[in-house]
Each structure stands twice: as structure tokens, then as C-alpha cells.
Amino acid sequence: MDYAQAIILGLIQGVTELFPVSSLGHSVILPQLFGWTSVVAAQSASESYFLAFLVGLHVATALALALFYRDQWFRIVRGLIRSLRRRQIETSDERLGWLLVVATIPAGMVGLVLEHPLRVLFATPVAAAGFLIVNGFVLLGGEWIRRRAQVRAVVAAHEQTATGDRRLDTLEFREAGVVGVAQVFALLAGISRSGITMVAGLVRGLDHQDAARFSFLLATPIILAAGVYKLPDLLGPNGDGVRGQVLAGSIAAGVAAYLSVRFLSRYFAHRTLLPFAVYSLAAGVLALIRFGL
């Protein structure tokens, strides 16, 4: 992997990890499209320099998210500490903190066991293209379901925001668990982590902005933990000869992720997932035609 490839992959990671179009799917399809045969081979290998490269990208993305939401994370952590001391939940920050803890558990446990085997198994353009099409339908389905009477009834049964949608801190813990389970499907190349968790929030009555905020907050510890867990790959033999490229790609990923979350936090104040659904369907179909026929 040369420096140009590292920076391009870093930019792709930083943008597509947060845009609901699947970073893993793009990292599988685009190197094949660009003819980067060494990168393609490394992605599907059980041990390779690409594992070390992923460490840097994950950590940089998580740090960018933490930086953007630093004030909220400070309140959440402080709220969790207060809640543990009192052994009860009183404030919205405390409740949001515990909702994030509950939602993190399913993806964390499953990812620990299956992330690497699934990445190796489905690290093919055809599989990624197929799951990217599925991702498009998931986003379309979420937009359709949130307008149904059953979802509006859920909203009516809870405290609402000024826009008439459900407040984020009214989620029940079992609902947060369902959001966490939904995030597990993002281990498949082509299924977006942010997209599927946003959809899970939308169908429980959240507006797009709160669904995105919960998705990004939830992604921060998951992505950071994945990076830290794989740190031996970066420090060990897999990192030999590519640590400079890892640094370059990580800087690109961190900058791209920060700009992406800044844009999306404003975008979802008034807009929907529809453009990303259309993009996922179109990109998936074109990639399937390109690599599957």
C-alpha cells in the first residue's frame, strides 16, 4: 500500500462510516474498481497489513466523533458516574448514558467474535454490492415505516420534541437493545452501521436528527473499541512497513469523519435518508453488473 492509496482509503472510511452507505462495502468495492490488487488480496487474508491499517482508521474516526460530541460525552460520562453513586437514574443525560451502554453490548459481543471472520468471508465486490442493495431497501423501509400509524401511536405515548417526534431520552432499555442488535448487521460489508441504527431509531418514533445523534454517539465506543482491540496488529508484524501509511490514512480519515458528522448533524435537521437509499441501490446495482456479470 502506498501513501496515495492510504489517504484515499482514509477519506473513504471517514466519509462512508458516517454517511449511511457502508464504509466496509466501499472499502471492498473501490480498491477492486481501482485495480489495487495488493489491497484486495490483503483485505481477504486472515493476516495482513490491512488489519494494522484498519486500526488507525477506526481510532481516528472514533476520535473525530468524540471531538465533535465532546460536550455531550462529558455530560454523559459525568451522568453515568452520578447514577452509579446514587444507584438510580434521574436526568436525561444519565438515561442517555445507560441507553448507550445497553445498545453497545450486542454489537460489542458479536463483533468481538465474528467481525474478523465475516470481514474475510464477505470481502468480495459481489457480496458487498448485494448487501449495498439490501442497505438501500433498509433505508427506504425505515422512511416508509416511520410514517405509519403504529409508529405515530408510539410517538403519541411519549414525551415529544418541538417537531412532534419522540424525545431520545424516552427510549426504553429494551428498545436500545434492539438498536444495538440492528447494529450487528453492519458487520456485513455493504450494510451501513449508521444507516441501520438510524432506521431502528426512526421506527421507534425518533426524528432524523435524534436518530442520527444516537447512531453517532453509539458508534463512538464501538469503533474506538474495535481499534484498540486490534492494536497488537498495528504494533506487531502486520504493521511493519506500513505505519507511515497508517498515519497518513488515519489523519485523512479523522478529518473526513469530523467534516462528515458536522455536515450530517445539520443535514438531518430537515432532510431524510432517501438520497442515501437511492445512492446505495444505484451503486450496488452498478457494482453487481461490473463484478458479477
Side-chain angles (χ1 to χ4, degrees):
M1 177 184 291
D2 59 37
Y3 280 90
Q5 291 172 334
I7 291 171
I8 291 171
L9 288 174
L11 292 173
I12 291 171
Q13 160 71 21
V15 173
T16 57
E17 182 68 49
L18 304 179
F19 279 66
V21 294
S22 178
S23 62
L24 187 54
H26 280 74
S27 70
V28 170
I29 291 172
L30 292 180
Q32 183 76 47
L33 189 64
F34 295 154
W36 296 348
T37 55
S38 64
V39 175
V40 172
Q43 286 179 328
S44 57
S46 58
E47 293 291 334
S48 73
Y49 68 83
F50 198 75
L51 295 174
F53 185 67
L54 286 178
V55 174
L57 300 191
H58 280 135
V59 171
T61 302
L63 291 177
L65 285 170
L67 177 63
F68 184 81
Y69 287 111
R70 58 190 180 278
D71 293 337
Q72 184 147 20
W73 273 116
F74 178 76
R75 296 196 305 270
I76 288 171
V77 172
R78 188 172 58 180
L80 284 172
I81 294 172
R82 283 199 312 265
S83 178
L84 285 170
R85 288 174 177 172
R86 295 195 307 261
R87 297 185 180 180
Q88 58 184 346
I89 300 172
E90 293 182 351
T91 69
S92 60
D93 288 329
E94 293 170 4
R95 184 170 181 82
L96 178 57
W98 286 112
L99 288 171
L100 290 169
V101 170
V102 171
T104 298
I105 292 172
M109 294 179 63
V110 176
L112 186 66
V113 178
L114 296 180
E115 188 275 338
H116 183 64
L118 287 176
R119 183 187 60 79
V120 172
L121 180 63
F122 292 107
T124 67
V126 173
F131 284 124
L132 198 56
I133 294 171
V134 172
N135 186 69
F137 282 118
V138 168
L139 301 183
L140 286 177
E143 291 292 348
W144 177 70
I145 292 172
R146 76 177 298 268
R147 293 193 293 267
R148 292 179 63 83
Q150 295 93 324
V151 176
R152 304 321 300 171
V154 171
V155 173
H158 296 85
E159 291 185 59
Q160 299 175 21
T161 64
T163 60
D165 293 285
R166 185 179 179 182
R167 280 178 45 183
L168 176 56
D169 59 3
T170 67
L171 281 180
E172 299 175 10
F173 289 112
R174 60 180 177 82
E175 292 175 309
V178 170
V179 173
V181 171
Q183 193 175 203
V184 170
F185 291 96
L187 295 173
L188 301 171
I191 303 296
S192 166
R193 183 195 311 275
S194 61
I196 201 164
T197 51
M198 274 195 68
V199 166
L202 291 175
V203 300
R204 297 312 300 165
L206 299 180
D207 63 20
H208 290 84
Q209 193 170 34
D210 272 348
R213 180 161 61 98
F214 190 64
S215 173
F216 296 150
L217 288 171
L218 180 57
T220 306
I222 291 289
I223 299 173
L224 183 61
V228 173
Y229 175 70
K230 296 172 184 173
L231 195 59
D233 289 307
L234 178 59
L235 301 178
N238 286 331
D240 292 344
V242 295
R243 292 190 179 93
Q245 292 91 318
V246 170
L247 178 60
S250 298
I251 292 173
V255 172
Y258 185 86
L259 294 176
S260 295
V261 69
R262 183 177 178 180
F263 168 79
L264 290 172
S265 64
R266 298 174 181 177
Y267 172 90
F268 284 121
H270 304 289
R271 295 183 176 89
T272 71
L273 290 167
L274 183 59
F276 306 107
V278 173
Y279 170 83
S280 295
L281 290 170
V285 169
L286 290 175
L288 200 59
I289 293 172
R290 171 64 178 81
F291 298 111
L293 298 179

